[in-house]
Amino acid sequence: MKSPSTDSSDDPFAKALRDTYNQLAAEKSVAQSDIAQLDSADRAGSGRQRNARS
Protein backbone atom coordinates (compact mmCIF):
# COMPACT_ATOMS: atom_id res chain seq x y z
CA MET A 1 0.00 0.00 0.00
CA LYS A 2 1.37 3.41 -0.98
CA SER A 3 1.47 6.02 1.75
CA PRO A 4 -0.22 9.36 1.04
CA SER A 5 2.19 12.02 -0.10
CA THR A 6 2.51 15.23 1.90
CA ASP A 7 3.80 17.04 -1.19
CA SER A 8 1.04 19.27 -2.58
CA SER A 9 2.71 19.76 -5.99
CA ASP A 10 0.36 17.15 -7.53
CA ASP A 11 -2.76 18.63 -5.94
CA PRO A 12 -4.81 20.29 -8.71
CA PHE A 13 -6.46 22.70 -6.27
CA ALA A 14 -3.09 23.87 -4.93
CA LYS A 15 -1.75 24.26 -8.47
CA ALA A 16 -4.78 26.30 -9.55
CA LEU A 17 -4.52 28.43 -6.43
CA ARG A 18 -0.81 29.03 -7.03
CA ASP A 19 -1.43 29.89 -10.70
CA THR A 20 -4.18 32.34 -9.76
CA TYR A 21 -2.00 33.93 -7.08
CA ASN A 22 0.87 34.35 -9.55
CA GLN A 23 -1.46 35.86 -12.15
CA LEU A 24 -2.87 38.34 -9.62
CA ALA A 25 0.65 39.24 -8.46
CA ALA A 26 1.61 40.00 -12.07
CA GLU A 27 -1.53 42.12 -12.57
CA LYS A 28 -0.79 43.96 -9.32
CA SER A 29 2.71 44.75 -10.53
CA VAL A 30 1.37 46.12 -13.83
CA ALA A 31 -1.27 48.20 -12.02
CA GLN A 32 1.31 49.65 -9.63
CA SER A 33 3.54 50.55 -12.56
CA ASP A 34 0.64 52.23 -14.37
CA ILE A 35 -0.26 54.19 -11.23
CA ALA A 36 3.34 55.33 -10.81
CA GLN A 37 3.37 56.56 -14.42
CA LEU A 38 0.10 58.42 -13.94
CA ASP A 39 1.36 59.95 -10.70
CA SER A 40 4.55 61.19 -12.35
CA ALA A 41 2.59 62.60 -15.30
CA ASP A 42 0.18 64.25 -12.87
CA ARG A 43 3.05 65.83 -10.94
CA ALA A 44 4.64 67.07 -14.16
CA GLY A 45 1.29 68.43 -15.39
CA SER A 46 0.48 70.21 -12.15
CA GLY A 47 3.91 71.85 -12.21
CA ARG A 48 3.20 73.25 -15.66
CA GLN A 49 -0.21 74.52 -14.57
CA ARG A 50 1.29 76.39 -11.61
CA ASN A 51 3.88 78.02 -13.85
CA ALA A 52 1.21 79.05 -16.37
CA ARG A 53 -0.84 80.77 -13.66
CA SER A 54 2.08 82.77 -12.29
Side-chain angles (χ1 to χ4, degrees):
M1 181 173 175
K2 187 176 178 181
S3 64
S5 174
T6 57
D7 184 15
S8 65
S9 63
D10 294 333
D11 180 14
F13 177 79
K15 182 185 180 320
L17 186 61
R18 218 175 7 259
D19 290 346
T20 301
Y21 178 86
N22 290 337
Q23 180 183 359
L24 289 172
E27 290 177 15
K28 177 183 175 185
S29 179
V30 169
Q32 287 174 326
S33 176
D34 290 347
I35 290 169
Q37 288 178 343
L38 290 170
D39 283 346
S40 65
D42 191 37
R43 281 188 221 110
S46 61
R48 276 184 262 145
Q49 290 173 347
R50 286 185 195 142
N51 292 339
R53 292 182 198 160
S54 300

